[in-house]
Amino acid sequence: MTFSWTPHRFSGGALALDVANSVILRFDPARSIDRFADPGNLAAFPDAATRLCAEDRDGPLKAVPADRADGLIRLREAIDRHFRAEAGGTPSSLLLADLLDQIAQALRVAEAGDLDFETALSALRLISPSRAGALKICPNCEWLFLDRSKNKSRAWCDMAVCGNRVKARLHYQRKKQGKDAS
Ligand SMILES: [Zn+2]
């Protein structure tokens, strides 16, 4: 099956988190997939993000030139490390410093509208303490997401995908144990 950037892949609620979530099953080396490792996927991401990313922005996103792809990946990894540590309750000033370095680097070399530039600005906005408690890790797929609901009650990156997968798994387990009446 050919890969495509479906709405589910923009469950992060912020561009910086959607970029971080371009790595599938990050902590499962046997099954982990970096969607940006395929140049075609990376090139198609800005158009899809322009349509599907939940974060408001002016104008379409532009692809990064090949010589800045490594910088985008460094920025992505710094975003994931910092916000994952923070969402997990173990924030680190060193990870924040590394993220700020990568943000500064992207802002130096890129221009407004470029994917790396806008990802850096998105990460900068996420550092704001005003959204404390809204940054979460999906318990099914471990993607990062920004809970934009009023009462901060969102449990999954995407209820239709991860929420249902967990429900189906629990249902199957109950059935196997013979405890399922329905
Ligand atoms: Zn998920």
Side-chain angles (χ1 to χ4, degrees):
M1 209 172 67
T2 53
F3 172 81
S4 65
W5 292 107
T6 56
H8 168 63
R9 301 184 188 283
F10 295 88
S11 302
L15 180 63
L17 302 182
D18 290 335
V19 166
N21 295 341
S22 61
V23 180
I24 314 303
L25 300 172
R26 189 179 278 274
F27 301 102
D28 184 345
R31 293 192 297 155
S32 182
I33 304 170
D34 178 356
R35 296 296 183 190
F36 283 177
D38 180 322
N41 290 345
L42 177 56
F45 183 86
D47 273 352
T50 301
R51 284 182 288 116
L52 300 170
C53 176
E55 189 171 355
D56 288 333
R57 198 180 331 92
D58 294 333
L61 284 165
K62 287 175 281 185
V64 292
D67 64 347
R68 294 211 311 264
D70 284 353
L72 175 69
I73 300 304
R74 281 196 298 276
L75 173 62
R76 178 187 73 180
E77 296 308 299
I79 287 168
D80 191 86
R81 279 193 296 268
H82 168 70
F83 291 114
R84 189 171 295 280
E86 203 190 285
T90 53
S92 147
S93 52
L94 287 178
L95 292 180
L96 176 59
D98 182 42
L99 175 57
L100 290 170
D101 281 346
Q102 297 301 333
I103 289 171
Q105 182 59 21
L107 297 182
R108 252 181 229 119
V109 298
E111 289 177 12
D114 293 348
L115 176 62
D116 42 0
F117 188 96
E118 298 299 329
T119 299
L121 283 190
S122 171
L124 204 51
R125 284 191 288 270
L126 280 179
I127 292 170
S128 155
S130 65
R131 58 100 199 98
L135 190 72
K136 298 183 177 179
I137 300 171
C138 175
N140 184 53
C141 72
E142 298 196 324
W143 273 358
L144 289 165
F145 68 93
L146 190 65
D147 182 354
R148 292 179 180 272
S149 70
K150 266 211 180 76
N151 55 3
K152 303 284 171 282
S153 60
R154 213 172 118 196
W156 316 99
C157 75
D158 185 342
M159 181 65 209
V161 176
C162 286
N164 284 343
R165 262 180 212 159
V166 168
K167 272 191 202 159
R169 197 155 62 221
L170 290 175
H171 180 78
Y172 174 75
Q173 280 165 0
R174 277 197 301 268
K175 233 178 166 160
K176 243 172 83 177
Q177 291 160 0
K179 288 175 189 165
D180 190 55
S182 60

